[in-house]
Amino acid sequence: MLLEISPEFFRAEMERVKAHPASFPIFERKSRIILLKIYGVPSPGANILKQEMLSLGGDAVVHKNAVECKVPESDVILLGTRKHYEALIKKLEIANYFGLTRVRKALKDYLERRKAEYIDSPWGRRIAFGRTLVMGIINVTPDSFYSGSRKQDLKEILKTASYMVESGADIIDVGGLSTRPGSDPVTEEEELARVLPAVKAIRESFPQIPISVDTYRAEVARRSLQAGADIINDISGFMFDENLVKVAAEFRAPLVLMHIKGTPKDMQKDPHYDDVVREIAEYFLERMEFAEAAGVDPDKIILDPGIGFGKQYQHNLEIMVRLEEFKSLKKPLLIGASRKTFIGKALGDVPPEERLEGTLAVTALCVMKGVDIVRVHDVKENRRVVDLLEAVKCQGRS
């Protein structure tokens, strides 16, 4: 009998074979093909990469005209295991030409960098990333796109927070400014009047639950953190209020850096991408560089591709199927897809009130792809999906 082994069960199967435990990491380095794409390598360098990978037992995909240098440069897709890449890095140490120094540094950085295992808030509350976390949404607004998330009365806010905590929420996200497509912002004073009482009440009633504040305004973030909030969740990546980065640096607060094209008012007016994943990744790199230059701790950055924020239906689907590519950036990944339009369209143009099952399907996909946080309206239902799939995933772990 011959069986193809599931990668998730490779270590467990090695144990059944009774291989020496010391050999496990060696075999794991050889077991998984990792596809890495490097952009804009001069054609001679692309040819060298292909030949070196072939000599090591791997391979590389290059432009059809790169071999004769009829194009000035080529993107390169490398096909190899971790062992192949470690060997390639050594070979490239003496190749300081044709853009190969940049390639070597990028490969070395990719192999050596590690995603943070946890992030501590300014107040010592820890957000650990051993499994997919559930972030519950409380919108203290009268106009968020899903009516079930709107909570304005403090008693109602606390009742919702209590239910979320009891249902297994890991984080509660409070937002006082609707960013639905086509929306206009309220004043800063109005946002503060909505958010601060909610943050204070939740913090007083639930001292241990991490609180995220969904805002792009520096003063709202500052006063929310002072009131006991833990995380800044900025849809604009510091593009709408650059002073926000100073607040994040000052408080050493965890922050969600989201991608958006345009503003909530105009973001859905025919957004265009040549390569949606590449363009979002480039945005993340530029925004992280900006944040780190301002003093933000790079280990406290969480990335959110911004489902529905300046994306068409197909863009959202492509992001979802390619989620693992964002993990190359070695940052915790958050997905906020709950009850959004692309789910409704996929289900036959159903309204937000009928998108729970679709949301649960997206959450399941996120868990299996290793997303760190899912931001959802329905905590209990999503928590159950997460718990079941985490139990399944654990079967391959020793």
Side-chain angles (χ1 to χ4, degrees), residues 145-146 313 338-359:
F145 84 93
Y146 173 49
Y313 176 66
S338 183
R339 295 184 180 266
K340 287 190 174 176
T341 301
F342 87 101
I343 294 174
K345 183 169 183 178
L347 298 179
D349 292 321
V350 300
E353 292 72 22
E354 297 180 28
R355 298 173 188 168
L356 175 58
E357 297 91 342
T359 298

Side-chain angles (χ1 to χ4, degrees), residues 57-92:
D59 210 334
V61 180
V62 300
H63 191 288
K64 61 186 177 182
N65 294 324
V67 66
E68 297 173 342
C69 294
K70 289 183 177 179
V71 290
E73 62 180 34
S74 171
D75 296 340
V76 179
I77 301 173
L78 300 175
L79 297 83
T81 65
R82 186 179 181 93
K83 183 183 178 185
H84 290 137
Y85 294 133
E86 290 170 344
L88 179 62
I89 288 169
K90 289 186 179 297
K91 287 198 167 196
L92 294 180

Side-chain angles (χ1 to χ4, degrees), residues 237 239 257 280-291:
M239 299 289 283
L257 193 160
I280 293 172
E282 288 174 340
Y283 169 95
F284 282 150
L285 291 170
E286 188 277 325
R287 291 286 83 196
M288 286 192 288
E289 184 177 340
F290 170 79

Side-chain angles (χ1 to χ4, degrees), residues 129-395:
F129 301 114
R131 59 175 175 80
T132 299
L133 306 178
V134 175
M135 174 187 279
I137 303 167
I138 299 180
N139 287 318
V140 288
T141 60
D143 56 347
S144 292
F145 84 93
Y146 173 49
S147 60
S149 71
R150 303 170 194 164
K151 312 293 177 184
Q152 294 178 270
D153 176 79
L154 269 183
K155 183 180 291 187
E156 189 179 25
I157 290 167
L158 284 176
K159 181 180 178 181
T160 302
S162 178
Y163 181 71
M164 286 182 171
V165 171
E166 291 171 5
S167 298
D170 298 291
I171 304 165
I172 291 177
D173 188 59
V174 178
L177 173 64
S178 176
T179 52
R180 73 189 190 286
S183 62
D184 290 306
V186 298
T187 65
E188 182 176 288
E189 292 73 20
E190 177 63 25
E191 187 182 0
L192 283 166
R194 294 173 178 180
V195 169
L196 289 182
V199 169
K200 290 175 181 177
I202 295 170
R203 174 53 62 232
E204 183 177 346
S205 297
F206 306 99
Q208 299 308 315
I209 190 78
I211 299 173
S212 167
V213 174
D214 182 0
T215 186
Y216 52 74
R217 287 173 168 150
E219 188 59 21
V220 175
R222 177 186 300 279
R223 293 182 62 179
S224 296
L225 289 166
Q226 290 170 340
D230 303 275
I231 304 166
I232 301 169
N233 183 6
D234 175 21
I235 67 159
S236 79
F238 304 123
M239 299 289 283
F240 296 172
D241 184 350
E242 289 195 353
N243 288 321
L244 183 57
V245 74
K246 300 175 185 176
V247 175
E250 176 188 345
F251 281 83
R252 296 185 62 78
L255 63 100
V256 179
L257 193 160
M258 196 193 82
H259 174 271
I260 186 172
K261 177 172 281 219
T263 68
K265 183 70 175 176
D266 61 15
M267 63 188 180
Q268 292 308 112
K269 294 181 179 178
D270 195 28
H272 171 78
Y273 299 86
D274 292 322
D275 182 338
V276 65
V277 169
R278 176 181 181 176
E279 290 173 48
I280 293 172
E282 288 174 340
Y283 169 95
F284 282 150
L285 291 170
E286 188 277 325
R287 291 286 83 196
M288 286 192 288
E289 184 177 340
F290 170 79
E292 291 173 32
V296 170
D297 183 347
D299 288 333
K300 293 197 171 185
I301 295 174
I302 300 164
L303 302 179
D304 177 356
I307 295 293
F309 283 84
K311 283 91 177 172
Q312 296 187 33
Y313 176 66
Q314 290 296 333
H315 298 143
N316 292 315
L317 295 180
E318 184 173 348
I319 290 166
M320 293 307 306
V321 80
R322 298 177 66 185
L323 283 175
E324 290 162 314
E325 296 180 38
F326 294 109
K327 294 165 68 177
S328 304
L329 301 175
K330 305 297 177 75
K331 300 293 182 188
L333 186 64
L334 181 151
I335 294 297
S338 183
R339 295 184 180 266
K340 287 190 174 176
T341 301
F342 87 101
I343 294 174
K345 183 169 183 178
L347 298 179
D349 292 321
V350 300
E353 292 72 22
E354 297 180 28
R355 298 173 188 168
L356 175 58
E357 297 91 342
T359 298
L360 298 178
V362 170
T363 291
L365 179 66
C366 288
V367 176
M368 296 310 293
K369 287 182 173 288
V371 169
D372 298 281
I373 305 172
V374 287
R375 181 177 179 272
V376 299
H377 299 94
D378 310 279
V379 168
K380 181 179 179 180
E381 294 84 351
N382 283 275
R383 171 88 273 160
R384 287 181 171 179
V385 169
V386 170
D387 287 347
L388 175 59
L389 289 174
E390 290 289 358
V392 170
K393 288 169 67 178
C394 280
Q395 295 310 299

